[in-house]
Amino acid sequence: MDINATLIGQGLTFFVFILVTMKFVWPNIQKAMAEREQKIADGLAAAEKGKQELEQAEERSQELVNDGKQKASDIIAQAQKRGDEMIEEAKSEARTEADRVKASAQAEIDQEIATAREKLKTEVAALAIAGAEQILMREVDKSAHNEVLDKVCAKL
Amino acid sequence: MASAAPSPTEYVTHHLTHLKVGEGFWSLHVDTLFFSWVLGLLMIWFFRMGANRATAGVPGRVQNFVETLVEFADKTVRESFPGPRAFMGPLCLTIFVWVLLWNLMDLIPVDWLPRLAHDVFGLEYLRVVPSADPNATFGLSITVFLLIIYYGLKGKGVGGFAKEFVTHPFGANPLLVPFNLILNVVEMIAKPVSLALRLFGNLYAAELIFILIAMLPWWIQWIPGGIWAVFHILVIPLQAFIFMVLTAVYIGLAYEHH
């Protein structure tokens, strides 16, 4: 082995290279790697956040859809109910009207009956008197028996 | 192979001789320095390319690759070193990638670059694997050794560091102080030595085997060469990784309170 000043040259060279690496290489690379690490971490966090937000939005939209469905079915139910009510109202109105018409018809009929009965009474009385006149001929004095005839008439 | 059909000994020796300037200790292995500089600059250029374009958005291929390396080094440091990583991270990253590139030079066929250097630039010798030169591995491990001491002082304070040196591992009994001291000194010195020799030994041996394989007849070389290269592909990152992890562990141990 031939040990000589090459040793010193090598040692110095080595030291210079270390210093150059330390000054111009190491910090740049370390910085870039640290920054990239940060970027990746940020990106992952953002992705996570985005995912969560998407989930929330989905939840919200589901809620809205459910709400809408609920409202729609409420409206339909209300309309149904209102329709039923209207039909019911119309029915009862018709019934009242029918009753009213029936009652007035009844009243008219009753009136008619009463009038006809009145008329009949008078006619029967007249007929009875005429019959009695025929039977009794002259013996009957109209004026003398009027009172009796009226009584008969009233009984009819 | 050299021009005048050299003997096996000459061939091997030729391949194991550095391109050297100067004499004695104050000489330099120009080939080791050149290739480690070229590889180091390649590494820095590549890192810069990744770092310049670094964005927090979708990373490009280069950035992605550099980031993978940075994260790998950062994780290794985090597991063994409890303190701030602004220096330790780049240290381990530099060690891993630089040593890996050194080791990869071993996979270039052993004659290519020396031949090129000889024929084009007229250079007599050339060794292309910096980690097969103990000067390179010791250069690294001694720097690491100084950092171990620095971090030991920084983490425990001068008093704490000295106290651990004389009271650990046997205890604070004054009679045991010399033994503690001797053991700690040995342990301290063993760290850079083992770091450097492990890397050097592995790569030197591998290089030697590639050189020996290169002396076989050309038509058979691909079998042992292929097998050894496949095996060596495992060794290359492994040795770089071991160097990095042990550096982190040693400095972590020095820094931590017991």
Side-chain angles (χ1 to χ4, degrees):
Chain A
M1 289 203 307
D2 184 7
I3 295 290
N4 54 38
T6 310
L7 182 81
I8 298 166
Q10 284 292 343
L12 289 175
T13 308
F14 178 43
F15 206 73
V16 169
F17 283 155
I18 299 171
L19 291 183
V20 171
T21 308
M22 181 174 140
K23 194 110 182 72
F24 299 109
V25 178
W26 194 262
N28 293 23
I29 296 287
Q30 290 283 22
K31 195 168 143 258
M33 290 202 301
E35 272 171 19
R36 184 169 330 113
E37 210 174 290
Q38 191 54 47
K39 255 185 169 174
I40 291 171
D42 289 352
L44 287 176
E48 187 59 37
K49 206 175 146 220
K51 209 174 120 197
Q52 265 178 12
E53 267 167 15
L54 180 67
E55 262 170 28
Q56 277 172 2
E58 258 169 15
E59 234 167 68
R60 239 190 0 252
S61 74
Q62 194 56 48
E63 258 169 40
L64 284 177
V65 167
N66 285 349
D67 242 33
K69 272 187 187 161
Q70 185 62 43
K71 264 186 196 150
S73 70
D74 279 2
I75 288 169
I76 289 169
Q78 232 171 8
Q80 191 83 45
K81 203 172 140 209
R82 182 86 192 93
D84 286 355
E85 269 173 16
M86 274 164 84
I87 289 169
E88 212 49 54
E89 260 170 40
K91 267 188 190 164
S92 75
E93 222 169 85
R95 208 172 283 133
T96 330
E97 183 63 16
D99 284 354
R100 203 179 55 75
V101 170
K102 218 163 92 187
S104 81
Q106 191 68 53
E108 220 170 299
I109 289 165
D110 286 352
Q111 183 78 33
E112 288 289 322
I113 288 171
T115 320
R117 190 174 281 163
E118 214 49 51
K119 218 168 148 190
L120 266 172
K121 253 190 219 168
T122 354
E123 268 174 26
V124 168
L127 238 128
I129 292 170
E133 264 177 356
Q134 293 282 319
I135 296 163
L136 298 173
M137 292 308 225
R138 290 179 219 200
E139 281 180 40
V140 177
D141 179 5
K142 256 189 190 169
S143 55
H145 297 288
N146 243 356
E147 202 183 336
V148 178
L149 285 169
D150 279 345
K151 272 180 189 166
V152 174
C153 271
K155 265 179 198 164
L156 281 168
Chain B
M1 290 182 209
S3 42
S7 74
T9 321
E10 274 170 0
Y11 179 75
V12 172
T13 315
H14 181 264
H15 265 291
L16 293 179
T17 307
H18 281 285
L19 181 65
K20 189 170 163 184
V21 293
E23 281 302 318
F25 178 77
W26 293 107
S27 53
L28 291 173
H29 288 165
V30 179
D31 45 6
T32 300
L33 285 173
F34 175 75
F35 282 109
S36 57
W37 267 94
V38 167
L39 294 170
L41 292 173
L42 190 75
M43 166 180 80
I44 294 292
W45 170 75
F46 188 72
F47 282 171
R48 272 308 281 168
M49 209 160 70
N52 273 340
R53 297 186 198 156
T55 110
V58 179
R61 278 157 197 258
V62 174
Q63 191 194 341
N64 211 343
F65 186 63
V66 174
E67 272 182 16
T68 309
L69 290 170
V70 165
E71 261 198 318
F72 176 59
D74 199 37
K75 188 168 151 265
T76 308
V77 177
R78 196 167 49 230
E79 279 164 5
S80 348
F81 180 76
R85 299 195 291 278
F87 181 82
M88 283 299 290
L91 168 73
C92 284
L93 179 66
T94 307
I95 289 178
F96 180 69
V97 179
W98 204 22
V99 171
L100 186 75
L101 291 172
W102 285 2
N103 296 354
L104 277 169
M105 291 300 285
D106 218 358
L107 291 175
I108 298 174
V110 287
D111 277 321
W112 283 13
L113 292 176
R115 187 88 227 195
L116 189 76
H118 182 264
D119 291 0
V120 177
F121 300 104
L123 300 170
E124 183 58 26
Y125 301 107
L126 189 74
R127 288 186 64 188
V128 300
V129 188
S131 38
D133 179 357
N135 285 298
T137 61
F138 271 105
L140 237 60
S141 73
I142 288 172
T143 311
V144 169
F145 177 69
L146 297 175
L147 287 171
I148 290 173
I149 293 172
Y150 170 75
Y151 270 98
L153 293 173
K154 193 180 164 199
K156 293 171 183 144
V158 179
F161 190 67
K163 191 179 159 218
E164 196 178 292
F165 230 75
V166 293
T167 62
H168 210 73
F170 298 121
N173 191 320
L175 284 174
L176 294 171
V177 166
F179 299 104
N180 286 330
L181 198 62
I182 289 167
L183 195 84
N184 277 315
V185 167
V186 169
E187 202 189 318
M188 249 344 216
I189 292 172
K191 281 173 186 170
V193 171
S194 67
L195 266 183
L197 287 184
R198 181 182 305 109
L199 180 60
F200 162 71
N202 270 282
L203 273 290
Y204 185 82
E207 192 192 19
L208 195 59
I209 288 175
F210 276 123
I211 294 170
L212 294 176
I213 290 168
M215 290 194 301
L216 295 170
W218 63 269
W219 45 266
I220 195 75
Q221 280 181 18
W222 65 276
I223 297 175
I227 292 169
W228 185 243
V230 166
F231 173 71
H232 200 53
I233 283 172
L234 299 174
V235 174
I236 287 167
L238 184 69
Q239 285 304 322
F241 177 67
I242 288 173
F243 205 112
M244 169 180 74
V245 169
L246 286 181
T247 300
V249 168
Y250 288 158
I251 294 178
L253 281 177
Y255 186 79
E256 235 174 352
H257 291 273
H258 288 285

